[in-house]
Amino acid sequence: MAKRIQFSRTGGPEVLEFVDVPPAAPGPGEVRVKNAAVGLNFIDIYFRTGLYPAPSLPSGLGTEGAGVVDAVGEGVTHLAVGDRVAYAQGPLGAYAELHTLPAGKVVKLPEAIDFETAAGCMLKGLTVQYLMRQTYELKGGETILWHAAAGGVGSIACQWARALGVKLIGTVSSPEKAALAEKNGAWATIDYTKEDVVERVRELTNGEMCDLVYDSVGKDTWETSLDCLKPRSLMVSFGNASGAVEGVNLGILNQKGSLFVTRPSLNGYADTPQRLQAMADELFAMLESGKISIDIAQRFPLAEAGKAQEALASRQTTGSTILIP
Ligand code: NDP
């Protein structure tokens, strides 16, 4: 038997159950990974609460982890038992000692990258890769607004922006988070609990406003974010930490300056094994060069996944959080 977290109904952290299940043998094209570390992400909370529906219940939870391949299904050629690997996509169920998933969603981990680092950055770092290098290819010199700059995705974004020569203005909710984002390379920070974000962006940019806004907060910040953009520039709405953006009248894009908007996801970019590998290669190169490092600021035993999710949902975490099976 192997331990895993599952949920049989949607709701608060109390719906998470820590159970023993028989290990699933990998089917054709699949591998089973013995997790050394599991990544905690906001999307896990969306599935637990039902904002994103799980395909069936009871369901496992989590999509990010790192460890060693312990069984390989028929037809898998690029992975073998004993390989060090990491993953950030595929079926729910990463919150577990053993996780079985399609081999095409799993990449080999370079020796220099440890399991905790990998579990702390596969989903978040690949997200920053596609947002900064594909959704819009930042060239350096742009000024961008990034919400939740001291969070998991945000901490990597600050460092990646610095490496690209991009001026990242990060929003945060405390002086401690501001200091952290600036240490990671944010060009400036705005504490939205004390300052007016639009006015502060206007001051910082001498009235020019931003070339792009990256908004993962969603409902609460949608309009503020649009107000921080230059005419004809791009709003990247990529998350729902405060709730989903709904009922948008497209006319608002006209009123706010002929803006563009996109709502991307990692699965839409890493949609083939080749694209996933190319994105992972770039993330791993950024880690190996020291241009970015992963701050594992919180570690919880797997059994305490609910407590970990509560901390993430209530803004108590910074950087990455991992669960240890
Ligand atoms: P974070 O570590 O960034 O945690 C969320 C942060 O959002 C909080 O720490 C808090 O920072 C801020 N926040 C603002 N409003 C709220 C609110 N109402 N409730 C909770 N938090 C709030 O989480 P992750 O790094 O895991 O994810 C960041 C975001 O990116 C999430 O929205 C996630 O869904 C999204 N995402 C999207 C992906 C995609 O491909 N589309 C992939 C990966 C992540 P502060 O206290 O400073 O305000």
Side-chain angles (χ1 to χ4, degrees), residues 46 52 127 130-131 135 145 147 212-223 225-226 229 234-246 248 253 260-266 269:
Y46 305 150
Y52 294 175
T127 298
Y130 85 73
L131 289 174
T135 300
L145 181 70
H147 290 288
L212 284 105
V213 173
Y214 293 92
D215 187 336
S216 63
V217 174
K219 187 159 66 79
D220 288 357
T221 47
W222 162 252
E223 264 201 69
S225 291
L226 297 180
L229 282 162
L234 178 63
M235 161 74 166
V236 183
S237 174
F238 72 101
N240 324 285
S242 69
V245 178
E246 283 169 352
V248 172
L253 301 178
F260 295 80
V261 66
T262 181
R263 178 46 176 104
S265 74
L266 177 59
Y269 281 84

Side-chain angles (χ1 to χ4, degrees), residues 75-88:
V76 173
T77 51
H78 80 293
L79 294 172
V81 170
D83 282 348
R84 301 173 72 254
V85 294
Y87 56 87

Side-chain angles (χ1 to χ4, degrees), residues 40-43 46 52 123-124 127 130-131 147-154 171-174 177 192-193 215-218 220-221 237-243 263-267 311-321:
L40 181 80
N41 291 286
F42 229 95
I43 193 172
Y46 305 150
Y52 294 175
L123 198 150
K124 300 164 190 76
T127 298
Y130 85 73
L131 289 174
H147 290 288
V153 177
T171 74
V172 291
S173 66
S174 70
K177 288 187 175 185
Y192 65 86
T193 66
D215 187 336
S216 63
V217 174
D220 288 357
T221 47
S237 174
F238 72 101
N240 324 285
S242 69
R263 178 46 176 104
S265 74
L266 177 59
N267 285 341
L312 180 62
S314 59
R315 306 177 210 208
Q316 288 165 36
T317 61
T318 57
S320 293
T321 304

Side-chain angles (χ1 to χ4, degrees), residues 12-255:
E14 70 284 353
V15 303
L16 299 183
E17 309 155 16
F18 190 49
V19 296
D20 281 308
V21 288
E30 291 184 334
V31 292
R32 191 172 65 200
V33 179
K34 186 171 189 319
N35 285 325
V38 172
L40 181 80
N41 291 286
F42 229 95
I43 193 172
D44 310 337
I45 298 173
Y46 305 150
F47 280 109
R48 190 204 71 215
T49 58
L51 178 66
Y52 294 175
S56 62
L57 294 176
S59 169
L61 192 57
T63 51
E64 181 181 41
V68 174
V69 173
D70 97 320
V72 173
E74 218 178 279
V76 173
T77 51
H78 80 293
L79 294 172
V81 170
D83 282 348
R84 301 173 72 254
V85 294
Y87 56 87
Q89 299 171 279
L92 300 179
Y95 284 19
E97 288 176 338
L98 295 172
H99 183 39
T100 300
L101 72 168
K105 305 285 186 199
V106 178
V107 297
K108 277 194 199 166
L109 201 55
E111 278 303 321
I113 300 175
D114 62 75
F115 292 132
E116 293 200 353
T117 298
C121 78
M122 269 306 275
L123 198 150
K124 300 164 190 76
L126 291 175
T127 298
V128 175
Q129 195 284 336
Y130 85 73
L131 289 174
M132 289 193 166
R133 307 270 301 131
Q134 301 187 65
T135 300
Y136 179 91
E137 194 180 346
L138 292 169
K139 306 206 170 42
E142 297 89 348
T143 301
I144 67 176
L145 181 70
W146 197 290
H147 290 288
V153 177
S155 293
I156 300 172
C158 289
Q159 298 175 71
W160 209 312
R162 173 169 59 192
L164 289 170
V166 167
K167 288 182 178 173
L168 182 149
I169 302 172
T171 74
V172 291
S173 66
S174 70
E176 295 75 26
K177 288 187 175 185
L180 184 63
E182 285 170 24
K183 187 180 118 237
N184 281 328
W187 173 70
T189 51
I190 302 174
D191 182 339
Y192 65 86
T193 66
K194 299 198 183 78
E195 299 172 289
D196 182 285
V197 173
V198 179
E199 283 318 307
R200 194 72 190 107
V201 165
R202 201 182 309 284
E203 278 169 26
L204 286 164
T205 61
N206 296 320
E208 291 202 353
M209 311 312 275
C210 295
D211 297 293
L212 284 105
V213 173
Y214 293 92
D215 187 336
S216 63
V217 174
K219 187 159 66 79
D220 288 357
T221 47
W222 162 252
E223 264 201 69
T224 305
S225 291
L226 297 180
D227 285 333
C228 291
L229 282 162
K230 288 180 183 174
R232 300 174 299 283
S233 58
L234 178 63
M235 161 74 166
V236 183
S237 174
F238 72 101
N240 324 285
S242 69
V245 178
E246 283 169 352
V248 172
N249 176 351
L250 281 183
I252 198 167
L253 301 178
N254 161 23
Q255 290 156 23

